Amino acid sequence: MTDRSFALLDSERYEVTVLKRNFLVIATLSGGLVLLTIFMTGTAAFKSRYAEASKSWNREAIKATYVTTQLKETDKAHSTLVLSYDLENNTDSDYRFDDGPGVVILGRLKADGSLSQQEPIRLSYPVFLPTKQHARLAIEITERFAWPPQEDPAYIDKLREFVKQRLANIGEFVLFDQANHAQVTLPDEWKELQEAAGTS
């Protein structure tokens, strides 16, 4: 009788131990599932916010001011138009612009505001722009243009006319820095030069 009751008590202890163990396993699995769900939901939300942020270009990071326009003879059949700008870095980060796939320069057409890259536009030289400072940037457009001889009475007029025609349809140039997702507007303040060409 004693042995049987002892056996029953031992069995009950075993069942209680198994129940406790099962409860702990279930509680642990449930807690893990809850944490996994929270993590996955948080990760999805973070990715969504990051994707939305990465879609928009930062247009306020760098401001550009037009400085000057130059026309250079490249060879007997080509000339290079060089437009220079002063860049102001309004951020707490340094920027570096190199002539390569990470930097794209497009022209914005006056007609409809669309971006165009009908001809290659490149940086004249690499630019390092430290935080809260200024730096000079120049872009180059090389096209077919036979440089007139200096003794030509219309020498200056021909140069100005070439510049005027080249910039006639462009409202502004836009530089896209893909690494930092920054967009820099290079304004069209060369209008005075075009007007001078028209009045000369």
Side-chain angles (χ1 to χ4, degrees), residues 117-137:
Q117 195 176 26
Q118 295 176 350
E119 67 289 311
I121 307 169
R122 59 187 298 271
L123 289 176
S124 296
Y125 44 80
V127 177
F128 175 66
L129 182 58
T131 176
K132 306 295 183 183
Q133 295 190 51
H134 292 252
R136 184 65 54 89
L137 172 139

Side-chain angles (χ1 to χ4, degrees), residues 71 81 145-166 192-200:
L71 186 61
L81 185 62
F145 176 68
W147 199 273
Q150 287 191 349
E151 58 272 15
D152 187 338
Y155 174 77
I156 298 297
D157 291 342
K158 287 181 179 178
L159 298 182
R160 285 178 173 169
E161 185 60 29
F162 171 75
V163 174
K164 179 184 176 182
Q165 289 179 359
R166 177 59 198 82
E192 294 177 5
L193 191 137
Q194 290 177 306
E195 290 169 2
T199 57
S200 60

Side-chain angles (χ1 to χ4, degrees), residues 5 11 13 19 27 29 37 49 60 68 74-75 82 90 107 112 115 129 132 138 148 172-173 180 184 188-189 193:
S5 62
S11 174
R13 282 181 191 169
L19 286 173
L29 288 175
T37 303
R49 283 194 298 270
E60 304 301 321
T68 188
T74 308
D75 53 44
V82 181
N90 298 314
D112 57 6
L115 295 169
L129 182 58
K132 306 295 183 183
E172 63 191 15
F173 291 100
N180 298 296
V184 184
D188 64 337
E189 295 174 21
L193 191 137

Side-chain angles (χ1 to χ4, degrees), residues 26-96:
I26 291 169
T28 303
L29 288 175
S30 298
L33 286 172
V34 169
L35 288 173
L36 183 61
T37 303
I38 291 171
F39 175 75
M40 290 178 70
T41 305
T43 302
F46 174 77
K47 283 183 178 177
S48 175
R49 283 194 298 270
Y50 178 77
E52 288 176 8
S54 65
K55 288 178 185 176
S56 61
W57 291 85
N58 186 349
R59 300 180 184 191
E60 304 301 321
I62 300 169
K63 292 296 180 184
T65 305
Y66 172 77
V67 177
T68 188
T69 300
Q70 291 178 307
L71 186 61
K72 299 189 301 185
E73 183 179 15
T74 308
D75 53 44
K76 290 182 178 180
H78 297 85
S79 295
T80 300
L81 185 62
V82 181
L83 293 99
S84 300
Y85 297 86
D86 178 71
L87 300 184
E88 180 183 4
N89 185 351
N90 298 314
T91 72
D92 295 322
S93 301
D94 297 335
Y95 283 82
R96 185 182 296 278

Side-chain angles (χ1 to χ4, degrees), residues 11-29:
S11 174
E12 287 172 4
R13 282 181 191 169
Y14 177 74
E15 288 177 7
V16 169
T17 303
V18 169
L19 286 173
K20 283 182 180 177
R21 190 176 300 157
N22 287 345
F23 175 76
L24 288 172
V25 169
I26 291 169
T28 303
L29 288 175

